[in-house]
Amino acid sequence: MYYRRKILLALLSVFDGQLTAKQFQKYLFLFTRKQEIKSFDFVPYRYGCFSFQANQDIATLAKYGYCTIAENRKVRFFELTKDDDFFNTLKPEDRKSLLEVKAQFGNLRQSDLIRYTYRQYPYYAIKSVIAKDLLNSTELNTIELQKRHYHEKQLFSIGYEGISLEAYINKLIINDVNVLCDVRKNAYSQKYGFSKKTLELACKSVDIEYVHIPDLGIISNKRKELSSQEDYDDLFREYEKTTLKENRASLLAIRSLLDKGKRVALTCFEKDPKQCHRTCVANALMQLPETDYKFKNL
């Protein structure tokens, strides 16, 4: 079993085997603040800090009978059903941190727990739909100051190699990206969060539009046996002469988004923009007439 999933089961165990979904996310968040290398990343969400990965993991654990997911009066609960003493399989520092979270916050009402996270970590409250019911005007203003609002249209490039879905989404939020243009031929990934449906839902949950533009992708068999930068450069020269030229309409569709004042990010897998065709797409967009937007790699 993945170590991070043992943490989730240990968390439920420490809190007497049952937590609401909101409590679960908040306690897990506070626990990870104590970790040097965090087991989970979080995004600002409807009720504050939220980990897509943890939510997926708890669903997987429920599937295999370690816990149940129930709903009562529109409140979701996670309940431990198989306790194999995962707490004692954790690293000593993680056991200590879980007990500290329980001691410090275990007696708080759910509303007070959420209020605490909003006050201490205001960035994670910027998408909250309940902040106005929990905080005073000064605290709400602190959250408002965490929001990124840029009036300049801009083109970005971002790869998801080596980072979590949450870290990826946070990069988009911090740069006030409005539209994510996925230029993969096939929007599928074995890495959690980056297949089309999951990525689209994650973007929608933080008010980012997702658009898949497969016409600008490169078929997978052309991406095999790329062992040097020269191999990539050869591939991209061919791509610019063929696919990119043949699909100018798709390129202009992205330009149309920029012309409407959108802040648009092109995405694919590779971390290194020199080894990804999204850079070719970005260069082509920057070379169009009357370009009045800037370009930045994230």
Side-chain angles (χ1 to χ4, degrees), residues 45-294:
Y45 199 61
R46 289 171 55 84
Y47 302 107
C49 50
F50 184 84
S51 168
F52 294 110
Q53 181 68 71
N55 194 58
Q56 176 64 29
D57 281 344
I58 206 73
T60 300
L61 290 167
K63 177 182 176 181
Y64 289 104
Y66 288 96
C67 62
T68 58
I69 301 174
E71 188 167 318
N72 182 19
R73 297 179 182 178
K74 297 184 179 181
V75 177
R76 291 179 76 221
F77 289 88
F78 304 145
E79 186 169 357
L80 192 65
T81 53
K82 185 188 294 185
D83 190 353
D84 291 341
D85 196 18
F86 286 109
F87 177 81
N88 284 315
T89 69
L90 300 186
K91 301 171 186 175
E93 59 268 30
D94 286 338
R95 294 200 301 269
K96 179 174 180 289
S97 294
L98 277 178
L99 293 175
E100 287 174 349
V101 169
K102 173 69 180 296
Q104 188 173 356
F105 306 106
N107 292 324
L108 292 182
R109 294 181 303 170
Q110 179 171 280
S111 59
D112 291 331
L113 177 64
I114 295 172
R115 184 181 291 110
Y116 175 85
T117 62
Y118 285 9
R119 286 171 172 168
Q120 296 299 314
Y121 306 95
Y123 167 74
Y124 292 96
I126 63 174
K127 300 290 183 180
S128 174
V129 297
I130 59 173
K132 63 182 182 300
D133 300 322
L134 297 173
L135 303 177
N136 61 40
S137 58
T138 301
E139 292 164 340
L140 289 171
N141 186 59
T142 299
I143 291 172
E144 194 64 30
L145 292 173
Q146 292 288 316
K147 297 180 181 179
R148 274 62 167 185
H149 296 298
Y150 299 99
H151 300 295
E152 306 86 1
K153 63 183 77 171
Q154 187 157 2
L155 178 65
F156 299 91
S157 163
I158 182 171
Y160 61 85
E161 181 181 11
I163 60 174
S164 67
L165 174 60
E166 292 84 358
Y168 175 93
I169 292 292
N170 280 326
K171 285 188 177 187
L172 300 180
I173 293 172
I174 289 169
N175 287 279
D176 195 23
V177 170
N178 312 122
V179 184
L180 180 68
C181 290
D182 189 339
V183 294
R184 292 176 292 176
K185 189 71 173 178
N186 298 304
Y188 169 78
S189 176
Q190 293 184 339
K191 182 179 176 69
Y192 170 72
F194 294 99
S195 290
K196 180 178 179 178
K197 184 177 180 180
T198 308
L199 182 56
E200 184 174 13
L201 288 173
C203 286
K204 183 179 180 180
S205 73
V206 293
D207 306 314
I208 296 172
E209 181 183 356
Y210 170 90
V211 180
H212 183 212
I213 310 178
D215 290 345
L216 293 178
I218 296 179
I219 58 176
S220 57
N221 63 3
K222 287 189 175 183
R223 304 190 66 87
K224 296 177 180 178
E225 300 180 8
L226 298 174
S227 57
S228 68
Q229 186 59 50
E230 185 177 354
D231 292 335
Y232 282 97
D233 294 341
D234 289 341
L235 173 64
F236 297 151
R237 276 191 288 270
E238 179 190 356
Y239 172 78
E240 289 171 342
K241 293 176 183 177
T242 55
T243 303
L244 200 52
K245 187 174 291 186
E246 293 162 3
N247 292 281
R248 184 174 174 81
S250 295
L251 195 70
L252 294 178
I254 300 174
R255 170 61 184 263
S256 177
L257 292 170
L258 289 160
D259 287 342
K260 292 175 183 176
K262 301 292 187 180
R263 293 170 66 82
V264 178
L266 306 174
T267 195
C268 195
F269 168 70
E270 288 81 4
K271 177 181 179 180
D272 186 347
K274 296 192 301 297
Q275 296 185 346
C276 183
H277 74 287
R278 69 180 185 273
T279 300
C280 301
V281 178
N283 290 339
L285 285 164
M286 295 305 295
Q287 291 166 12
L288 290 174
E290 300 179 18
T291 298
D292 61 348
Y293 45 85
K294 296 179 180 179

